[in-house]
Amino acid sequence: MSGDEHQPAPRGSYAKGVARRQEILDRAIEVFAQRGSDRTSLRAIAEEVGVTHAALKHYFGSLEELLVAVYQESERRGDDEPSADQDETPVEALRRWTESNREVQGLVQLYSTLVATALEEGHPAAREFATSRFARVRADMARRVRHSQEAGRIRADVDPEAVAALVIAASDGLQTQWLLDASAPQDAALALLDQLLAAPRA
Amino acid sequence: MSGDEHQPAPRGSYAKGVARRQEILDRAIEVFAQRGSDRTSLRAIAEEVGVTHAALKHYFGSLEELLVAVYQESERRGDDEPSADQDETPVEALRRWTESNREVQGLVQLYSTLVATALEEGHPAAREFATSRFARVRADMARRVRHSQEAGRIRADVDPEAVAALVIAASDGLQTQWLLDASAPQDAALALLDQLLAAPRA
DNA sequence: GTCTATACGTCGATAGAC
DNA sequence: GTCTATCGACGTATAGAC
């Protein structure tokens, strides 16, 4: 990963600077949770937060890196993301996740924007974010699948890695469909996937 | 839908204008197929196509509408999209689709960008595109699923609408994961979904 | 109708004052 | 560390040539 490349480099005790950055990040997260990914210019965010756009640049390096930081921080706080509860089925965990996402639509929009940006060339911050996030979430999900297989809740004849990729893809895609059309059978489709993956009754 | 709101309104025989618009669209599609969704400013596209940016505005109304037109036209040409062959399994059809997408990565990027834009507020053209596309593709897939169920290739105890949403979501999501990391088990995950949906051998 | 020229306001980025 | 000033590029809008 080679460390941050642009930051004020909080080596030593730049406690003031770090705290200020955190303050700004906190405000920015609120802004995003409220209104969506729209109206997200560096200048608009700066005004909302109460600093100049140059100050945001100073702390985050670029708009793209600010967006990544906002999403990652909100994820870290558990505004997002499945819990570590190992006793639920992988799909159950995702369902809880999508449910909580309905209340923070702005962050879901931000997630979609970041992933779409990552697919383009010349956006290293978004690319790095999306790549490492998918790798992490997929590994996490694969572990969860193996656990469920050992517990006899998921059929044993499927590859955990493939299941992980499939389940995460389905979750992302269903969330998109649901945001565009609330009548899309998001819950039914997730329940179906759960059913399909369930270990056959002996 | 209330019709187009901005267009030169090709009613009557404005053959010249329509042809010119088509010419521009053709060139724009090439540009997108080659390089990705990046470098997609109205002005850059105009330069590449060989007209002024004002001319693009004249024919397409806005950048967003141009992007939608480019994607829809390339889709219509069958650069994209599953065929109407009713004898393959739904997932097989999607697999063919994702395979063909690998050769036109730029258009896939464009698709992702359009969908992400549609999730934000204040982008009616992208929203309309994404909403109607999902509705259409989902209905198409549901029909295909019913057909496969009647033919005994897909288990009969699943809701076709839910399967359709699930399969499309998985396809979109897996494509994203694959674009970000070619080692993501896209094929394995699609094959798995196919296997899970297959009617149990009597 | 088709298209150019031109201008407006905003954007991300940068430089330099303090 | 945070500001103001300024830059080039952007999407959009309009007037008018043809």
Side-chain angles (χ1 to χ4, degrees), chain B residues 25 62-75 110 114 124-130:
Chain B
L25 206 44
S62 72
L63 169 61
E64 200 179 309
E65 290 171 278
L66 169 61
L67 297 183
V68 169
V70 164
Y71 185 80
Q72 284 183 330
E73 176 66 10
S74 70
E75 199 178 29
L110 176 55
L114 284 174
R127 172 77 61 121
E128 158 67 18
F129 158 74

Side-chain angles (χ1 to χ4, degrees), chain A residues 25-47:
Chain A
L25 204 46
D26 289 350
R27 281 288 300 126
I29 288 173
E30 286 176 40
V31 171
F32 271 90
Q34 287 172 21
R35 340 180 286 191
S37 211
D38 226 2
R39 191 77 195 131
T40 31
S41 75
L42 205 54
R43 293 165 128 102
I45 299 170
E47 189 185 0

Side-chain angles (χ1 to χ4, degrees), chain B residues 146-195:
Chain B
R146 270 182 233 104
H147 186 272
S148 289
Q149 281 178 320
E150 287 160 13
R153 284 195 301 272
I154 284 192
R155 42 194 299 175
D157 64 340
V158 292
D159 173 25
E161 304 291 341
V163 172
L166 176 63
V167 160
I168 290 163
S171 170
D172 284 3
L174 286 169
Q175 181 131 271
T176 300
Q177 289 183 44
W178 183 82
L179 281 174
L180 285 168
D181 173 9
S183 76
Q186 183 180 213
D187 287 341
L190 273 180
L192 167 64
L193 184 55
D194 212 13
Q195 170 197 338

